Amino acid sequence: MANEKNNIPIKIYLSEAELPKQWYNVKADMKEQHAPFLNPATLKPVTFEELCGIFITELVKQELNETDRYIDIPEEVLNFYKMVRPSPLVRATFLEKALGTPAKIYYKFEGNNTSGSHKLNSAIAQAYYAKEQGLTSITTETGAGQWGTALAMACSFFDIKLDVFMVKGSAMQKPDRVEVMKTYGAEVTPSPSMVTNVGRKISEEKPGTTGSLGCAISEAIEVCATRDKCKYALGSVLDYVLLHQSIIGLEVKTACEKYGIKPDIIIGCAGGGSNLGGLIGPFVGEKIQGKNDIRIIAVEPASCPSLTRGKYAYDFGDTGKITPLLKMYTIGNGFIPSPIHAGGLRFHGMSPIISKLYADGYIEATSVGQKEVFEAASLFSRTEGILPAPESAHAIRATIIEAEKCKETGEEKTIIFGLTGTGHFDMSAYRMYNSGEMVDSILTEEDLQKGFETIPKVD
Amino acid sequence: MANEKNNIPIKIYLSEAELPKQWYNVKADMKEQHAPFLNPATLKPVTFEELCGIFITELVKQELNETDRYIDIPEEVLNFYKMVRPSPLVRATFLEKALGTPAKIYYKFEGNNTSGSHKLNSAIAQAYYAKEQGLTSITTETGAGQWGTALAMACSFFDIKLDVFMVKGSAMQKPDRVEVMKTYGAEVTPSPSMVTNVGRKISEEKPGTTGSLGCAISEAIEVCATRDKCKYALGSVLDYVLLHQSIIGLEVKTACEKYGIKPDIIIGCAGGGSNLGGLIGPFVGEKIQGKNDIRIIAVEPASCPSLTRGKYAYDFGDTGKITPLLKMYTIGNGFIPSPIHAGGLRFHGMSPIISKLYADGYIEATSVGQKEVFEAASLFSRTEGILPAPESAHAIRATIIEAEKCKETGEEKTIIFGLTGTGHFDMSAYRMYNSGEMVDSILTEEDLQKGFETIPKVD
């Protein structure tokens, strides 16, 4: 052990025996829970039965579980995990050198799989529980396409039919991403589409819209409701997704303990909050208990700043107002962000767990502009050899800012950030950056207020 | 050790300490060397000085080294390797299950890096030696784009300018692959181009041609010759490339020894022979010495079958007839294969080392059709979760054939194949397969004879 602590490899791969056998439920350690989901019609807490109308039953149980600190990972899910996990925790030695910083930078890389991101961690669990429940199909939405690809892989593995509503702007930018989903047998429909009522309504109200996650969610839920043995799957925001993603943070924690690494700062990009919640889970659990004082930073795009400029309020999870009401940081369910290139960070709201942790002061938030994000992505590509997803590059940018502060002060801080995935299907965005055509998308106070107006009055 | 042998993980990751520190030079173990390169003007063996006119000096030394069994890997190259290596040796449990075979199938996966293939192993060494020699730029060609991407990453790392001539058919199919190279600072020109004499000549003779590796090589060498402090880099075929790629086979061998795995068959796809040569290197070295009796199978596309239907003769490495003459299996330097989707397997010739080993009976060869290859790729994607490069899928197809034989006979053979890379930038080919538009490209005897006519008479 002493020997291991003195000999930290550049890439820390845990053994399969060290793969966590249970997920970590941060809610068991939270002093106060986030507010319950509300039924928008009655404004009363949504019941277990109501949630089971939309979601897979076992996942609803996990969603409502506030007491069990650890939940067993089913064996079939563990076996699948072994194909792609444990994922490496990598020391960014070449990035450190390029920055000339005394900071020690590590990244947890979740992109070593065909879906190209961490989304597979929850996708395979959701497909497994669907199969166990005897379902034959699933509907979902996808923004950047990483979640859709991951669920397509998972559904293919368990032989379940999948329909994906993909934000139209992303589907147009990434035909190859669409083709990967098709290779795994999924049906992909650009959203808003003409196959649902809500899709037709939104298309009529906002002609030429490139869509939003909120709109695609509405369409997926609408189609699901018309089918037998079908449920709707969500790849972020919800508590059960953060539960599955806790495998990221648990592996990081095991690696840190094994090699004596003590993080001062943990940084993750935040769209719906699935990666961030998973990455920080066990660390923030200990922070709540006063066992550490790690700075935790959520990074969001300046063009879709739910934490840094949003309101902490009850809002719908979708544009069509079909979902229950969630208490979260939101810029309004009617907000349609400019078609920036980090499609995975375009959700108007934020995970209720992350929102609560932010409101209670356990985590910080910051927002960064698109150009500085791609500048960071480019530097990272060249130094560390991995071409990052635009989403992940938000965390890289924030890490560089912190590392540069260390350079000024001389502090040798240890920073860990989540490298959620690769940008192999985001080359159209890189093309804009490489050709100098990329612009920052500025969110005006006026547009923000317009979004706020769509937040329902609940009090 | 006994414990390790009984507990083989699904994914075997060696530790960084187990990363080989030396490359293995199979020529030191070959009973007879392949014939020397000839100067086409004099038909005399090409001298060290002549080769140094085109190639990086240290690489020429490696090319001509027939005696040193092991050659030290420079420390800076080793440090880079640590970002992407050791690569995993994976047990294909889910593929085995889908096939219902008693065979034990393992694959060595080289795709976990942004270039998406094994090409980085040699690229980083070549860029390093270029830097050491004080060069400022490199020219090269690329077919599928994997080599070009790898060399772009390597040149960016050592701050060397890179010009890539990319087979036009591939460049058109894969704009995103081009953009990755540009992200790493490389200049990419579709070949045949109008910027070289040979490019203009070939464009004139064969209007509308989608190009070939042989043609792109000619262009890269022509541009290189006009520049100061510039050399030409090749990503396959040559002995020094196989030397660098031996890191693949050395890692496989270490993993096999550590876990008591004894391969009966080793399978690799073969275009120019770099992956195959690296994968089998240390195993074939022992086979020559009578220490094992492993079947080694080279797999090539039926549309470009240099080993299975070619002639063992002296031929040019390029269409423009600029290179020295190489004794190899060839279907003729003037052969332009149909634009099949495995751009990395479209070279008219074959590595002189592989050719010699094949001629001497140490390795077998087989060819497979495009449709069966994509069927294998699709099955592999769904079962093992990795979407393979079309090139790699040739090895998958041959592995499935052998595994099905085991199913018939009940033999529990251990098969290891090389999964050279991912197909993330090959989705246009997958699109053709998914939509049912893919056809097998049949090479007629007549077209083959036409190719043979371009082989020079050297006796």
Side-chain angles (χ1 to χ4, degrees):
Chain A
M1 198 69 169
N3 184 36
E4 273 175 342
K5 289 200 181 182
N6 294 330
N7 269 309
I8 306 180
I10 301 293
K11 288 209 323 287
I12 301 173
Y13 271 106
L14 299 176
S15 71
E16 272 171 23
E18 290 167 310
L19 184 71
K21 306 286 182 297
Q22 298 179 307
W23 291 303
Y24 168 71
N25 179 12
V26 70
K27 289 192 289 182
D29 282 322
M30 285 170 74
K31 290 185 179 156
E32 203 176 281
Q33 298 301 319
H34 65 73
F37 297 160
L38 296 185
N39 179 321
T42 63
L43 295 190
K44 283 183 183 162
V46 172
T47 64
F48 174 78
E49 289 72 22
E50 284 173 323
L51 285 170
C52 289
I54 304 175
F55 297 109
I56 294 157
T57 306
E58 191 60 33
L59 298 177
V60 175
K61 285 182 193 164
Q62 293 179 351
E63 186 69 23
L64 300 177
N65 188 330
E66 296 175 350
T67 49
D68 295 324
R69 185 170 283 113
Y70 292 99
I71 292 174
D72 286 345
I73 303 172
E75 200 184 333
E76 288 190 62
V77 175
L78 269 179
N79 286 339
F80 185 93
Y81 276 171
K82 284 178 188 168
M83 288 203 291
V84 294
R85 310 202 66 83
S87 71
L89 180 69
V90 189
R91 176 82 183 266
T93 49
F94 295 112
L95 176 64
E96 290 171 16
K97 203 176 152 196
L99 296 172
T101 177
K104 296 185 187 76
I105 302 174
Y106 293 85
Y107 56 91
K108 178 70 168 169
F109 181 42
E110 292 287 314
N112 270 351
N113 68 74
T114 292
S115 81
S117 82
H118 66 293
K119 294 291 185 182
L120 204 50
N121 298 331
S122 185
I124 195 64
Q126 298 194 33
Y128 167 79
Y129 290 123
K131 188 76 179 173
E132 283 294 288
Q133 196 177 326
L135 305 179
T136 54
S137 72
I138 286 178
T139 66
T140 196
E141 83 297 324
T142 195
Q146 294 183 325
W147 166 246
T149 310
L151 196 58
M153 289 175 70
C155 284
S156 163
F157 193 77
F158 286 118
D159 199 20
I160 289 172
K161 179 176 159 25
L162 175 67
D163 284 272
V164 181
F165 287 87
M166 183 169 185
V167 175
K168 195 178 272 178
S170 284
M172 291 187 303
Q173 273 168 14
K174 307 182 193 183
D176 283 357
R177 178 62 93 176
V178 174
E179 202 60 36
V180 178
M181 288 183 255
K182 287 185 180 171
T183 300
Y184 284 94
E187 193 153 316
V188 184
T189 308
S191 166
S193 75
M194 299 310 272
V195 303
T196 66
N197 292 327
V198 67
R200 284 187 292 268
K201 185 163 173 283
I202 291 171
S203 297
E204 207 168 281
E205 285 171 9
K206 303 189 178 175
T209 176
T210 48
S212 70
L213 269 177
C215 167
I217 292 172
S218 298
E219 294 206 89
I221 295 177
E222 186 182 321
V223 166
C224 179
T226 65
R227 285 208 196 135
D228 200 28
K229 293 190 181 173
C230 178
K231 296 290 170 196
Y232 162 73
L234 190 63
S236 191
V237 182
L238 297 178
D239 298 2
Y240 72 73
V241 180
L242 271 66
L243 175 75
H244 304 154
Q245 295 296 355
S246 70
I247 190 128
I248 304 172
L250 291 167
E251 285 183 6
V252 172
K253 199 151 177 295
T254 302
C256 285
E257 283 164 6
K258 185 169 175 178
Y259 290 101
I261 300 162
K262 291 186 195 310
D264 297 297
I265 307 173
I266 300 179
I267 296 173
C269 60
S274 75
N275 152 68
L276 181 73
L279 174 67
I280 67 171
F283 293 97
V284 81
E286 286 191 350
K287 186 172 180 176
I288 292 167
Q289 298 167 63
K291 292 182 187 167
N292 72 45
D293 195 28
I294 299 169
R295 278 183 66 204
I296 296 170
I297 307 175
V299 192
E300 52 187 19
S303 56
C304 194
S306 53
L307 286 175
T308 49
R309 292 174 74 186
K311 291 191 175 172
Y312 193 31
Y314 267 110
D315 194 3
F316 291 97
D318 67 327
T319 312
K321 305 184 182 182
I322 300 179
T323 71
L325 292 166
L326 286 69
K327 179 83 179 279
M328 59 183 176
Y329 281 87
T330 175
I331 45 180
N333 65 73
F335 178 82
I336 293 200
S338 71
I340 57 154
H341 298 288
L345 304 181
R346 292 175 64 196
F347 185 59
H348 65 272
M350 179 56 67
S351 141
I353 288 179
I354 296 290
S355 292
K356 179 68 179 158
L357 290 170
Y358 180 61
D360 290 351
Y362 293 111
I363 64 178
E364 310 166 29
T366 186
S367 75
V368 288
Q370 182 162 259
K371 277 165 77 175
E372 61 182 315
V373 162
F374 272 85
E375 198 179 325
S378 181
L379 176 65
F380 189 80
S381 304
R382 287 164 184 255
T383 51
E384 293 294 316
I386 297 171
L387 194 143
E391 291 81 3
S392 321
H394 286 70
I396 298 172
R397 175 59 191 144
T399 298
I400 290 174
I401 292 171
E402 292 299 327
E404 283 174 344
K405 283 186 201 161
C406 288
K407 191 177 175 182
E408 280 171 29
T409 62
E411 288 174 292
E412 290 181 24
K413 286 189 179 164
T414 296
I415 305 172
I416 295 177
F417 75 88
L419 188 71
T420 56
T422 59
H424 300 172
F425 296 105
D426 299 282
M427 295 317 298
S428 61
Y430 275 91
R431 188 171 298 123
M432 290 200 73
Y433 176 75
N434 292 337
S435 65
E437 290 164 36
M438 183 163 282
V439 289
D440 271 327
S441 164
I442 309 296
L443 176 61
T444 65
E445 195 56 35
E446 196 188 337
D447 283 341
L448 192 65
Q449 289 304 325
K450 271 191 209 163
F452 286 163
E453 282 163 21
T454 65
I455 300 173
K457 306 276 173 287
V458 179
D459 276 314
Chain B
M1 199 66 171
N3 184 35
E4 273 178 340
K5 290 200 179 181
N6 294 331
N7 270 308
I8 306 180
I10 302 291
K11 289 209 323 287
I12 302 174
Y13 271 106
L14 300 176
S15 72
E16 272 170 22
E18 290 167 311
L19 182 71
K21 306 285 182 297
Q22 298 180 306
W23 292 303
Y24 168 70
N25 179 12
V26 70
K27 289 192 288 183
D29 282 322
M30 285 170 74
K31 289 185 180 157
E32 204 175 281
Q33 298 300 319
H34 67 71
F37 297 158
L38 297 185
N39 180 323
T42 63
L43 295 190
K44 284 187 183 159
V46 172
T47 63
F48 174 79
E49 288 70 24
E50 284 172 325
L51 286 170
C52 289
I54 304 175
F55 298 107
I56 294 156
T57 305
E58 192 60 32
L59 298 177
V60 175
K61 286 183 193 163
Q62 294 179 350
E63 185 69 23
L64 300 177
N65 188 330
E66 296 174 352
T67 49
D68 296 324
R69 184 170 282 114
Y70 293 99
I71 292 174
D72 286 345
I73 303 172
E75 199 184 335
E76 288 190 61
V77 175
L78 268 179
N79 286 340
F80 186 93
Y81 276 172
K82 285 179 188 167
M83 288 204 292
V84 294
R85 308 202 67 84
S87 71
L89 180 69
V90 189
R91 176 82 183 266
T93 50
F94 295 111
L95 176 65
E96 290 171 18
K97 204 175 152 196
L99 296 172
T101 178
K104 298 185 186 76
I105 303 173
Y106 292 85
Y107 55 91
K108 178 69 170 171
F109 181 41
E110 292 287 316
N112 270 352
N113 69 75
T114 292
S115 81
S117 83
H118 66 293
K119 295 291 187 184
L120 204 49
N121 299 330
S122 184
I124 195 65
Q126 298 193 34
Y128 167 78
Y129 289 123
K131 188 77 180 173
E132 283 294 288
Q133 195 176 326
L135 304 180
T136 53
S137 73
I138 286 178
T139 66
T140 197
E141 83 298 325
T142 196
Q146 295 182 325
W147 167 246
T149 311
L151 196 58
M153 289 174 70
C155 283
S156 162
F157 193 78
F158 285 119
D159 199 20
I160 289 172
K161 178 174 162 23
L162 175 66
D163 283 271
V164 181
F165 286 87
M166 184 171 185
V167 175
K168 196 179 271 178
S170 284
M172 290 186 305
Q173 274 169 14
K174 308 180 192 184
D176 283 359
R177 177 63 91 177
V178 174
E179 202 61 35
V180 177
M181 287 183 255
K182 287 185 180 170
T183 301
Y184 284 95
E187 192 153 316
V188 184
T189 307
S191 166
S193 75
M194 300 309 273
V195 303
T196 67
N197 292 326
V198 67
R200 284 186 292 266
K201 185 162 174 282
I202 291 171
S203 297
E204 208 167 280
E205 284 170 9
K206 304 188 178 174
T209 178
T210 48
S212 69
L213 270 175
C215 167
I217 291 172
S218 299
E219 294 206 90
I221 294 177
E222 185 182 322
V223 167
C224 178
T226 66
R227 284 206 196 136
D228 200 28
K229 292 189 182 176
C230 177
K231 296 291 170 194
Y232 162 73
L234 190 62
S236 192
V237 181
L238 297 179
D239 299 2
Y240 72 74
V241 180
L242 270 67
L243 174 75
H244 304 153
Q245 295 296 355
S246 70
I247 190 130
I248 304 173
L250 291 167
E251 285 183 6
V252 171
K253 200 151 179 294
T254 303
C256 285
E257 284 165 5
K258 184 169 175 179
Y259 290 102
I261 300 164
K262 289 186 197 309
D264 298 296
I265 307 172
I266 300 178
I267 297 173
C269 60
S274 75
N275 153 67
L276 181 73
L279 174 66
I280 67 171
F283 294 96
V284 82
E286 287 192 348
K287 186 172 179 176
I288 292 168
Q289 298 167 63
K291 292 183 186 166
N292 72 45
D293 194 27
I294 299 169
R295 279 182 65 205
I296 295 170
I297 307 175
V299 193
E300 52 187 18
S303 56
C304 195
S306 53
L307 286 175
T308 50
R309 293 175 73 187
K311 291 191 174 174
Y312 192 32
Y314 267 110
D315 194 5
F316 291 97
D318 67 326
T319 312
K321 306 183 182 183
I322 299 180
T323 71
L325 292 167
L326 285 69
K327 178 85 179 279
M328 60 182 175
Y329 281 87
T330 176
I331 45 180
N333 65 73
F335 178 82
I336 293 200
S338 71
I340 57 156
H341 297 289
L345 304 182
R346 292 175 64 196
F347 185 58
H348 65 273
M350 179 56 67
S351 139
I353 288 180
I354 297 290
S355 293
K356 178 68 178 159
L357 291 169
Y358 180 61
D360 290 351
Y362 293 111
I363 63 179
E364 309 165 30
T366 187
S367 75
V368 288
Q370 183 163 258
K371 276 166 78 176
E372 61 183 316
V373 162
F374 272 85
E375 199 179 324
S378 181
L379 176 65
F380 189 81
S381 303
R382 285 163 186 256
T383 51
E384 292 295 317
I386 297 171
L387 195 143
E391 291 80 4
S392 321
H394 286 70
I396 298 173
R397 175 59 191 144
T399 298
I400 291 174
I401 291 171
E402 293 300 325
E404 283 173 345
K405 282 185 202 161
C406 289
K407 192 178 175 181
E408 280 171 30
T409 62
E411 288 174 292
E412 291 182 22
K413 286 188 179 164
T414 296
I415 305 171
I416 296 177
F417 75 88
L419 187 71
T420 54
T422 60
H424 301 172
F425 296 106
D426 298 284
M427 294 317 297
S428 61
Y430 275 91
R431 187 173 296 124
M432 290 200 75
Y433 176 74
N434 291 338
S435 65
E437 290 164 37
M438 184 163 283
V439 289
D440 271 327
S441 164
I442 309 296
L443 175 60
T444 64
E445 194 55 35
E446 196 190 335
D447 282 342
L448 193 63
Q449 289 304 327
K450 269 192 213 164
F452 285 164
E453 282 164 22
T454 64
I455 300 174
K457 306 278 171 286
V458 179
D459 280 315

